[in-house]
Amino acid sequence: MDYPSQYSHLMSQKFAWADFFKKNFEQLGHEAFEIIWNAQPLQQAWAEFHNVSKHGILLSQILYYRPDVIIFQDSVSFSAEFIREIRLKVKSVKIIVGFLCSPFNNTVLTNLKEYNFVLACAPFIEVLKQNRIKCFKFIHAFEESILTDLKELGGIRSTDFFFAGSLLAGSNFHSGRIQILENLANSDINLKIFTPLISSDNPLSFNLKKLSYHTYNIAKKIGLAGFFNHIPKFEKIALLSEPPERIKLSPKLRTIIKSDPLFGSDMYKALALSKIGFNFHGGIAGNFAANVRMFEVTGVGTLLLTDHKQNIAELFEPDYEVVTYKNSSECIDKVQYLLNHPHELTRIALAGQKRCLRDHSIKNRVLQIIDIIENNL
């Protein structure tokens, strides 16, 4: 399959941000290009399409497009040396923007200093400022065009309670989420849970991951960590602040979980067929509401049930646009109440969607980015 066909097919899946930012920049009068640097078949097809070497494709693409501004939506994977190489070889580039909304380590912080500024989720603003990295708070958002594909569903919501996401053990990840879901599994609520039970659930894969973690940290202590930084298996291992933990789930929760994960269009459709969309932030978020699931749920008009955070009222009005909970028992009580009061459930869901589309659209975020760039040229 050639590059244009692969690109079109991939974007039609609406995975992650797809080409949502690109399209919104274009609609606002700016030329934009989307590069999916880690989609290897797509990248190789681009190299063949443009008759360039398959080594260093990303830099070749940047040289080809000659942008004024580059936004790295994945800043964790790129070294300071690569950012400096771009500045040296691509003379058109005036601003390079980083993005941070996931776990990181000191190496990532050092690399981020090479960017002109960083767009970051609320939990990371203070640590960036402490490290003298110029940053701006950036909130996740929803792409309104997704709703076009959901019209065929007819607005029928047959699923009571829906969750799709990761379950990784560890204080920085999803231990709290797992405990809440365990308690929900023991209630009489009809749950639909989709999650990939992968490396932390398989004994062999888990032991290899744990060995990799200890190997990397020994190498780090003797000054050899740099040797591992460019090995794909170790890139994520390097971001861990504690040893990986084996996920422990009760037999009952395991029977509920559907281990085929849902992403992109399939996830949005399943969510749009649900009455309540569950959310519980990873440990790395601290006391901040910051993840993208809040906007995926409200964006499709499903009621958002989310863990209470100190800044939630800045995003949505609790108990009017979304429903929050502070512990397992409150979560279960509110789910049961909402399912027994469908008119109130619908009212809150519609109010949440209205707020999301008004204040938390991708278009709003692109306008914010344009404003920041223009003020930092």
Side-chain angles (χ1 to χ4, degrees), residues 144-338:
E144 189 171 354
S145 65
I146 288 168
L147 297 177
T148 302
D149 295 340
L150 304 180
K151 289 180 180 178
E152 64 187 45
L153 302 178
I156 299 171
R157 298 181 180 271
S158 54
T159 300
D160 288 342
F161 179 102
F162 176 87
F163 172 75
S166 300
L167 295 180
L168 300 175
S171 59
N172 278 339
F173 293 100
H174 309 129
S175 292
R177 179 183 295 172
I178 292 169
Q179 187 56 57
I180 293 275
L181 290 174
E182 287 283 8
N183 292 331
L184 282 161
N186 288 317
S187 71
D188 59 355
I189 299 167
N190 183 23
L191 311 177
K192 270 195 178 179
I193 301 172
F194 295 82
T195 187
L197 295 177
I198 43 176
S199 59
S200 61
D201 197 49
N202 180 288
L204 178 59
S205 297
F206 171 74
N207 287 330
L208 286 172
K209 186 175 182 180
K210 196 170 184 179
L211 177 62
S212 298
Y213 172 85
H214 290 298
T215 300
Y216 177 81
N217 279 277
I218 291 171
K220 187 177 179 180
K221 288 179 181 178
I222 60 177
L224 295 177
F227 175 77
F228 293 92
N229 286 340
H230 302 295
I231 301 175
K233 181 178 288 187
F234 286 91
E235 287 179 350
K236 289 188 176 181
I237 290 292
L239 299 175
L240 297 178
S241 59
E242 56 188 27
E245 295 181 26
R246 180 85 185 274
I247 187 171
K248 297 176 182 177
L249 302 177
S250 68
K252 187 164 186 179
L253 182 56
R254 284 182 181 275
T255 61
I256 295 171
I257 288 175
K258 300 182 185 301
S259 58
D260 293 329
L262 288 178
F263 298 109
S265 295
D266 291 338
M267 185 271 293
Y268 286 117
K269 288 177 181 178
L271 192 51
L273 291 170
S274 304
K275 299 171 186 175
I276 297 173
F278 173 78
N279 185 44
F280 188 99
H281 287 79
I284 194 71
N287 201 25
F288 290 94
N291 66 13
V292 69
R293 188 177 295 106
M294 295 185 295
F295 308 105
E296 293 168 342
V297 174
T298 54
V300 301
T302 298
L303 183 139
L304 172 65
L305 178 69
T306 187
D307 47 337
H308 185 82
K309 298 291 185 179
Q310 67 181 27
N311 66 323
I312 186 65
E314 298 173 15
L315 306 173
F316 296 99
E317 185 177 341
D319 298 325
Y320 179 75
E321 296 170 332
V322 299
V323 175
T324 65
Y325 61 90
K326 295 181 179 178
N327 52 55
S328 292
S329 60
E330 186 179 18
C331 178
I332 293 170
D333 288 345
K334 288 192 172 182
V335 172
Q336 292 172 332
Y337 174 84
L338 290 163

Side-chain angles (χ1 to χ4, degrees), residues 45-60:
W46 186 93
E48 292 174 2
F49 188 78
H50 292 278
N51 195 29
V52 300
S53 170
K54 292 185 180 180
H55 298 287
I57 297 174
L58 179 56
L59 184 59
S60 295

